[in-house]
Amino acid sequence: MSSTSGTEVAGKKGSGTTSAAAPVTPVLLSRKPSRIREEGVASGGTAKTACIRTFGCQMNVHDSDRIRRMIRDAGYAEVQRYEEADIVVLNTCYVRENAVDRVKGHLGELSRLKKEGRVSKVALTGCIGAASEASELEKQYGIDLVLGTHNTYELAEFVGLPGMEEARTPELPGAAELEGEHSTFVTIMTGCNYVCSYCVVPSVRGRMVCRTMENLLGEVRRLVAGGTRYVTLLGQTVDAWREDGKRFSDLLERVADEAPRVWFTTSHPSNMEDRTLRLIGVRDTIVGRLHLPVQSGSDRMLKVMHRGYKSDRYRRKIEVFREAVPEGSLSTDIIVGHPGETEEDHEETLRLIEDCGFDAAYVFKFSPRRGTEAAKLPGAVPDKVAQRRFLEVLRAIEGNALTRNRARVGSVVEIYVRHGRTGDGHAIGETWSGHAVHVPTDAEAGRYVTAAIEGAGPHVLYAGDPVGPPR
Ligand code: SAM
Ligand code: SF4
């Protein structure tokens, strides 16, 4: 994005990923007496403590930030171990069965700790809370409070804050939290209007609701004024955002005027417009990384999944992106073993991977979810076959990614520090092209350093000592 001592530094068309979040004070519409507040401090006279565990996607990470804020406002200190917590909140994901199994494991441990008197209350929030299965879990594990995705505000009363019937104005769904953090998620829309055969999101998150541009921009300005240096626009189909005649590219352009660094996720190929892809290429403040889930390379499977596009249309989008952002990075989601997936369909997926040259992918084995169309479809793929396809897809993605990453060795890049130095001795950063980088620096999160790329793996680049001080 700039150059140092005459060396060309890979600017924004050169690495990325993201995190954290900032605020909008909840709107109190009614007050109710609190239950737990009356207890003041926890037994033994010590400060009250709470532990939050997050499962799943960035939307859940973002929701957990909101929960964290409520808990802090209620005077709880956050702890990392269940045994040290008075209250435990599990903010959960329902997308795949193994996510539910993991949560059940935690619930089992928590009900044991409750019996031993080491944890007093357990709340289950998020997508499992919104699913019909939640009432069974509530009984089985003696959960004290179960909340879905639309009524997280009820947690306020649970932790002893004044009750809130509505924690957000209707045009403010998913307002960002933790103002002042260097990196912030801003939810621009909630829910989803698609009906992908395999997916529970529409049933647990509801239909799409978009925040207004005015409201969003106001929030972004407040966040930036409060110290946020990186804004990630968030939504299940973020590029489906609309307001009157305005579309996602209009919103992105305005946010890119206000924030020093911007990214967005997750996009849907049917909504992704060429002008959005071109905008990424021309605006210095937008990270050059596109996450565009394809799910399958087979037109037949894309139809069964109700994705609404064919593989060639996806390929054309990628061509536009590669032309507009030549140094950019591309990631996707792929499901293997969806009911009815044949060997030919799988081959089509491998062909698409080859054609698109992804830099990264989240690869999932199909997981049947109660209430979805795919859970009832015939043609289940045996696990052994799905596992083999999973590994083949993974290897193809990693092979591509490694080749592409190696081509970056020797370049000098500007790196945004996302996490300060870890126990492993390096900070974790992101280039303007959206690539993850390990860099040996003591620079704090939110600062930039410039360094040469000296090594590459399939998932990460390795930088040498930074040139000059952090900025
Ligand atoms: N809204 C995004 C989209 O349309 O691509 C993704 C949302 S979903 C929470 C994240 C990813 O989980 C999906 O892209 C899909 O690959 C995967 N996924 C969702 N349901 C799944 C299921 N039943 N089995 C396996 N993977 C699944
Ligand atoms: Fe789920 Fe499809 Fe909506 Fe994505 S677009 S959230 S996969 S239904």
Side-chain angles (χ1 to χ4, degrees), residues 189-229:
M189 48 90 65
T190 57
C192 175
N193 286 356
Y194 288 90
V195 279
C196 298
S197 56
Y198 49 84
C199 184
V200 292
V201 167
S203 62
V204 292
R205 295 257 175 197
R207 288 186 62 82
M208 175 169 91
V209 180
C210 296
R211 293 175 64 190
T212 65
M213 184 187 276
E214 196 191 333
N215 183 281
L216 282 164
L217 290 176
E219 182 178 345
V220 168
R221 281 185 206 114
R222 278 197 303 280
L223 290 168
V224 172
T228 291
R229 303 194 78 194

Short mmCIF file of all heavy atoms in Angstrom, two decimals, residues 189-229:
data_model
loop_
_atom_site.label_atom_id
_atom_site.label_comp_id
_atom_site.label_asym_id
_atom_site.label_seq_id
_atom_site.Cartn_x
_atom_site.Cartn_y
_atom_site.Cartn_z
N MET A 189 -26.56 -7.11 7.79
CA MET A 189 -27.85 -7.78 7.56
C MET A 189 -27.88 -9.05 8.38
O MET A 189 -26.83 -9.60 8.70
CB MET A 189 -28.05 -8.08 6.07
CG MET A 189 -26.89 -8.75 5.36
SD MET A 189 -26.92 -10.54 5.36
CE MET A 189 -28.34 -10.90 4.44
N THR A 190 -29.08 -9.46 8.74
CA THR A 190 -29.21 -10.75 9.43
C THR A 190 -30.12 -11.65 8.61
O THR A 190 -30.84 -11.19 7.73
CB THR A 190 -29.83 -10.57 10.83
OG1 THR A 190 -31.09 -9.92 10.69
CG2 THR A 190 -28.94 -9.75 11.75
N GLY A 191 -30.10 -12.94 8.90
CA GLY A 191 -30.97 -13.90 8.24
C GLY A 191 -30.54 -14.20 6.82
O GLY A 191 -29.47 -13.77 6.37
N CYS A 192 -31.40 -14.93 6.10
CA CYS A 192 -31.05 -15.34 4.74
C CYS A 192 -32.32 -15.71 3.98
O CYS A 192 -33.20 -16.36 4.54
CB CYS A 192 -30.12 -16.56 4.82
SG CYS A 192 -29.75 -17.22 3.20
N ASN A 193 -32.40 -15.26 2.73
CA ASN A 193 -33.60 -15.55 1.92
C ASN A 193 -33.43 -16.76 1.02
O ASN A 193 -34.32 -17.10 0.26
CB ASN A 193 -33.97 -14.34 1.06
CG ASN A 193 -34.59 -13.24 1.90
OD1 ASN A 193 -34.79 -13.41 3.11
ND2 ASN A 193 -34.87 -12.11 1.29
N TYR A 194 -32.27 -17.41 1.07
CA TYR A 194 -32.07 -18.62 0.25
C TYR A 194 -32.62 -19.83 1.01
O TYR A 194 -32.91 -19.75 2.20
CB TYR A 194 -30.58 -18.82 -0.07
CG TYR A 194 -30.07 -17.80 -1.07
CD1 TYR A 194 -29.55 -16.59 -0.66
CD2 TYR A 194 -30.14 -18.06 -2.43
CE1 TYR A 194 -29.11 -15.65 -1.58
CE2 TYR A 194 -29.70 -17.12 -3.36
CZ TYR A 194 -29.18 -15.93 -2.92
OH TYR A 194 -28.75 -15.00 -3.83
N VAL A 195 -32.71 -20.94 0.27
CA VAL A 195 -33.18 -22.17 0.91
C VAL A 195 -32.28 -23.31 0.47
O VAL A 195 -32.73 -24.27 -0.13
CB VAL A 195 -34.66 -22.50 0.55
CG1 VAL A 195 -35.62 -21.72 1.37
CG2 VAL A 195 -34.92 -22.31 -0.94
N CYS A 196 -31.01 -23.18 0.76
CA CYS A 196 -30.07 -24.22 0.34
C CYS A 196 -30.49 -25.53 1.02
O CYS A 196 -30.82 -25.54 2.22
CB CYS A 196 -28.65 -23.83 0.71
SG CYS A 196 -28.14 -22.32 -0.12
N SER A 197 -30.45 -26.60 0.24
CA SER A 197 -31.02 -27.88 0.68
C SER A 197 -30.50 -28.36 2.04
O SER A 197 -31.22 -29.00 2.80
CB SER A 197 -30.67 -28.95 -0.36
OG SER A 197 -29.25 -28.98 -0.51
N TYR A 198 -29.25 -28.05 2.34
CA TYR A 198 -28.55 -28.64 3.48
C TYR A 198 -28.53 -27.73 4.71
O TYR A 198 -28.08 -28.13 5.77
CB TYR A 198 -27.08 -28.91 3.08
CG TYR A 198 -26.45 -27.68 2.43
CD1 TYR A 198 -25.92 -26.66 3.20
CD2 TYR A 198 -26.46 -27.52 1.05
CE1 TYR A 198 -25.40 -25.52 2.62
CE2 TYR A 198 -25.95 -26.38 0.45
CZ TYR A 198 -25.42 -25.39 1.25
OH TYR A 198 -24.94 -24.24 0.67
N CYS A 199 -29.04 -26.49 4.59
CA CYS A 199 -28.66 -25.46 5.55
C CYS A 199 -29.76 -25.10 6.56
O CYS A 199 -30.91 -24.89 6.18
CB CYS A 199 -28.24 -24.21 4.79
SG CYS A 199 -27.63 -22.91 5.86
N VAL A 200 -29.39 -24.98 7.82
CA VAL A 200 -30.36 -24.64 8.87
C VAL A 200 -30.45 -23.13 9.10
O VAL A 200 -31.32 -22.68 9.85
CB VAL A 200 -29.99 -25.28 10.24
CG1 VAL A 200 -30.15 -26.78 10.20
CG2 VAL A 200 -28.61 -24.87 10.68
N VAL A 201 -29.55 -22.38 8.48
CA VAL A 201 -29.52 -20.95 8.80
C VAL A 201 -30.88 -20.25 8.62
O VAL A 201 -31.34 -19.55 9.52
CB VAL A 201 -28.39 -20.22 8.01
CG1 VAL A 201 -28.54 -18.71 8.10
CG2 VAL A 201 -27.04 -20.65 8.55
N PRO A 202 -31.57 -20.45 7.48
CA PRO A 202 -32.85 -19.73 7.34
C PRO A 202 -33.82 -20.06 8.47
O PRO A 202 -34.58 -19.19 8.92
CB PRO A 202 -33.38 -20.20 5.98
CG PRO A 202 -32.17 -20.64 5.24
CD PRO A 202 -31.24 -21.21 6.27
N SER A 203 -33.80 -21.32 8.97
CA SER A 203 -34.77 -21.63 10.02
C SER A 203 -34.34 -21.09 11.38
O SER A 203 -35.19 -20.80 12.21
CB SER A 203 -35.05 -23.14 10.07
OG SER A 203 -33.88 -23.83 10.38
N VAL A 204 -33.04 -20.94 11.62
CA VAL A 204 -32.65 -20.43 12.95
C VAL A 204 -32.38 -18.92 12.96
O VAL A 204 -32.46 -18.29 14.00
CB VAL A 204 -31.44 -21.19 13.54
CG1 VAL A 204 -31.80 -22.61 13.88
CG2 VAL A 204 -30.21 -21.14 12.66
N ARG A 205 -32.06 -18.35 11.83
CA ARG A 205 -31.76 -16.91 11.79
C ARG A 205 -32.86 -16.10 11.11
O ARG A 205 -32.81 -14.87 11.08
CB ARG A 205 -30.44 -16.66 11.06
CG ARG A 205 -29.22 -17.22 11.79
CD ARG A 205 -28.43 -16.14 12.50
NE ARG A 205 -27.34 -16.67 13.29
CZ ARG A 205 -26.73 -15.97 14.24
NH1 ARG A 205 -27.09 -14.75 14.52
NH2 ARG A 205 -25.75 -16.50 14.93
N GLY A 206 -33.82 -16.79 10.48
CA GLY A 206 -34.95 -16.08 9.85
C GLY A 206 -34.59 -15.47 8.50
O GLY A 206 -33.51 -15.69 7.97
N ARG A 207 -35.54 -14.68 7.96
CA ARG A 207 -35.32 -14.08 6.65
C ARG A 207 -34.45 -12.85 6.76
O ARG A 207 -34.24 -12.31 7.83
CB ARG A 207 -36.68 -13.76 6.01
CG ARG A 207 -37.37 -15.06 5.58
CD ARG A 207 -38.62 -14.83 4.81
NE ARG A 207 -38.48 -14.11 3.55
CZ ARG A 207 -38.11 -14.66 2.39
NH1 ARG A 207 -37.78 -15.93 2.33
NH2 ARG A 207 -38.07 -13.94 1.30
N MET A 208 -33.95 -12.43 5.60
CA MET A 208 -32.98 -11.33 5.58
C MET A 208 -33.60 -10.01 6.07
O MET A 208 -34.68 -9.64 5.65
CB MET A 208 -32.48 -11.17 4.15
CG MET A 208 -31.57 -10.00 3.96
SD MET A 208 -30.76 -10.02 2.35
CE MET A 208 -31.91 -9.09 1.38
N VAL A 209 -32.87 -9.35 6.95
CA VAL A 209 -33.23 -7.99 7.36
C VAL A 209 -31.97 -7.15 7.19
O VAL A 209 -30.91 -7.50 7.71
CB VAL A 209 -33.65 -7.93 8.85
CG1 VAL A 209 -34.02 -6.50 9.25
CG2 VAL A 209 -34.80 -8.87 9.14
N CYS A 210 -32.08 -6.03 6.45
CA CYS A 210 -30.89 -5.19 6.21
C CYS A 210 -30.95 -3.93 7.07
O CYS A 210 -32.01 -3.32 7.20
CB CYS A 210 -30.83 -4.76 4.74
SG CYS A 210 -30.64 -6.13 3.61
N ARG A 211 -29.82 -3.55 7.60
CA ARG A 211 -29.75 -2.27 8.30
C ARG A 211 -29.68 -1.15 7.27
O ARG A 211 -29.27 -1.35 6.14
CB ARG A 211 -28.50 -2.22 9.18
CG ARG A 211 -28.55 -3.18 10.33
CD ARG A 211 -27.26 -3.18 11.10
NE ARG A 211 -27.01 -1.91 11.74
CZ ARG A 211 -25.86 -1.60 12.32
NH1 ARG A 211 -24.87 -2.47 12.32
NH2 ARG A 211 -25.70 -0.43 12.90
N THR A 212 -30.05 0.06 7.67
CA THR A 212 -30.02 1.16 6.71
C THR A 212 -28.59 1.65 6.53
O THR A 212 -27.76 1.54 7.45
CB THR A 212 -30.88 2.36 7.18
OG1 THR A 212 -30.28 2.88 8.37
CG2 THR A 212 -32.31 1.93 7.45
N MET A 213 -28.33 2.23 5.36
CA MET A 213 -26.98 2.74 5.10
C MET A 213 -26.62 3.84 6.08
O MET A 213 -25.52 3.90 6.62
CB MET A 213 -26.88 3.24 3.67
CG MET A 213 -25.47 3.67 3.33
SD MET A 213 -25.30 4.47 1.75
CE MET A 213 -25.14 3.13 0.64
N GLU A 214 -27.58 4.71 6.34
CA GLU A 214 -27.32 5.85 7.22
C GLU A 214 -26.90 5.37 8.61
O GLU A 214 -25.91 5.83 9.18
CB GLU A 214 -28.61 6.66 7.32
CG GLU A 214 -28.42 8.04 7.87
CD GLU A 214 -29.77 8.68 8.20
OE1 GLU A 214 -30.78 8.29 7.56
OE2 GLU A 214 -29.80 9.51 9.12
N ASN A 215 -27.65 4.40 9.09
CA ASN A 215 -27.36 3.84 10.40
C ASN A 215 -25.98 3.17 10.45
O ASN A 215 -25.20 3.35 11.37
CB ASN A 215 -28.49 2.82 10.66
CG ASN A 215 -28.38 2.21 12.01
OD1 ASN A 215 -27.57 1.32 12.20
ND2 ASN A 215 -29.18 2.69 12.93
N LEU A 216 -25.68 2.44 9.37
CA LEU A 216 -24.39 1.73 9.31
C LEU A 216 -23.23 2.70 9.24
O LEU A 216 -22.22 2.54 9.94
CB LEU A 216 -24.36 0.84 8.07
CG LEU A 216 -25.13 -0.44 8.18
CD1 LEU A 216 -25.39 -1.06 6.83
CD2 LEU A 216 -24.34 -1.42 9.06
N LEU A 217 -23.38 3.72 8.39
CA LEU A 217 -22.27 4.65 8.24
C LEU A 217 -22.02 5.42 9.53
O LEU A 217 -20.89 5.67 9.91
CB LEU A 217 -22.54 5.62 7.08
CG LEU A 217 -22.49 4.98 5.69
CD1 LEU A 217 -22.87 6.00 4.62
CD2 LEU A 217 -21.11 4.39 5.39
N GLY A 218 -23.13 5.75 10.22
CA GLY A 218 -22.99 6.45 11.50
C GLY A 218 -22.19 5.59 12.46
O GLY A 218 -21.30 6.06 13.17
N GLU A 219 -22.49 4.32 12.45
CA GLU A 219 -21.79 3.42 13.36
C GLU A 219 -20.31 3.30 12.98
O GLU A 219 -19.43 3.33 13.85
CB GLU A 219 -22.45 2.06 13.34
CG GLU A 219 -21.77 1.12 14.29
CD GLU A 219 -22.43 -0.23 14.34
OE1 GLU A 219 -23.56 -0.38 13.87
OE2 GLU A 219 -21.78 -1.14 14.85
N VAL A 220 -20.05 3.16 11.69
CA VAL A 220 -18.66 3.03 11.25
C VAL A 220 -17.87 4.28 11.65
O VAL A 220 -16.75 4.20 12.16
CB VAL A 220 -18.59 2.78 9.72
CG1 VAL A 220 -17.17 2.93 9.20
CG2 VAL A 220 -19.14 1.39 9.40
N ARG A 221 -18.48 5.45 11.48
CA ARG A 221 -17.78 6.69 11.86
C ARG A 221 -17.47 6.70 13.35
O ARG A 221 -16.36 7.04 13.76
CB ARG A 221 -18.65 7.92 11.53
CG ARG A 221 -18.60 8.27 10.07
CD ARG A 221 -19.37 9.56 9.77
NE ARG A 221 -19.80 9.50 8.40
CZ ARG A 221 -21.05 9.42 7.98
NH1 ARG A 221 -22.05 9.44 8.85
NH2 ARG A 221 -21.32 9.34 6.70
N ARG A 222 -18.44 6.28 14.16
CA ARG A 222 -18.22 6.26 15.62
C ARG A 222 -17.11 5.29 15.97
O ARG A 222 -16.25 5.57 16.80
CB ARG A 222 -19.50 5.82 16.35
CG ARG A 222 -20.50 6.92 16.56
CD ARG A 222 -21.52 6.52 17.64
NE ARG A 222 -22.21 5.29 17.33
CZ ARG A 222 -23.24 5.19 16.49
NH1 ARG A 222 -23.71 6.28 15.88
NH2 ARG A 222 -23.83 4.04 16.26
N LEU A 223 -17.12 4.15 15.30
CA LEU A 223 -16.10 3.14 15.59
C LEU A 223 -14.72 3.65 15.25
O LEU A 223 -13.77 3.52 16.02
CB LEU A 223 -16.38 1.87 14.77
CG LEU A 223 -17.60 1.07 15.19
CD1 LEU A 223 -17.93 0.02 14.15
CD2 LEU A 223 -17.33 0.41 16.53
N VAL A 224 -14.59 4.25 14.07
CA VAL A 224 -13.28 4.73 13.63
C VAL A 224 -12.81 5.83 14.57
O VAL A 224 -11.65 5.86 14.99
CB VAL A 224 -13.34 5.18 12.15
CG1 VAL A 224 -12.04 5.85 11.73
CG2 VAL A 224 -13.64 3.97 11.25
N ALA A 225 -13.74 6.71 14.97
CA ALA A 225 -13.37 7.79 15.90
C ALA A 225 -12.94 7.19 17.24
O ALA A 225 -12.10 7.74 17.94
CB ALA A 225 -14.55 8.73 16.11
N GLY A 226 -13.47 6.03 17.58
CA GLY A 226 -13.14 5.39 18.86
C GLY A 226 -11.91 4.49 18.77
O GLY A 226 -11.58 3.82 19.74
N GLY A 227 -11.26 4.41 17.64
CA GLY A 227 -9.99 3.67 17.56
C GLY A 227 -10.01 2.44 16.67
O GLY A 227 -8.99 1.78 16.51
N THR A 228 -11.15 2.11 16.08
CA THR A 228 -11.20 0.93 15.21
C THR A 228 -10.41 1.20 13.93
O THR A 228 -10.59 2.22 13.29
CB THR A 228 -12.66 0.59 14.86
OG1 THR A 228 -13.28 0.11 16.05
CG2 THR A 228 -12.75 -0.48 13.80
N ARG A 229 -9.56 0.25 13.58
CA ARG A 229 -8.73 0.44 12.39
C ARG A 229 -9.12 -0.55 11.29
O ARG A 229 -8.61 -0.48 10.18
CB ARG A 229 -7.25 0.26 12.74
CG ARG A 229 -6.80 1.22 13.83
CD ARG A 229 -5.30 1.30 13.94
NE ARG A 229 -4.74 2.12 12.89
CZ ARG A 229 -3.44 2.14 12.58
NH1 ARG A 229 -2.60 1.39 13.24
NH2 ARG A 229 -2.99 2.90 11.61
#
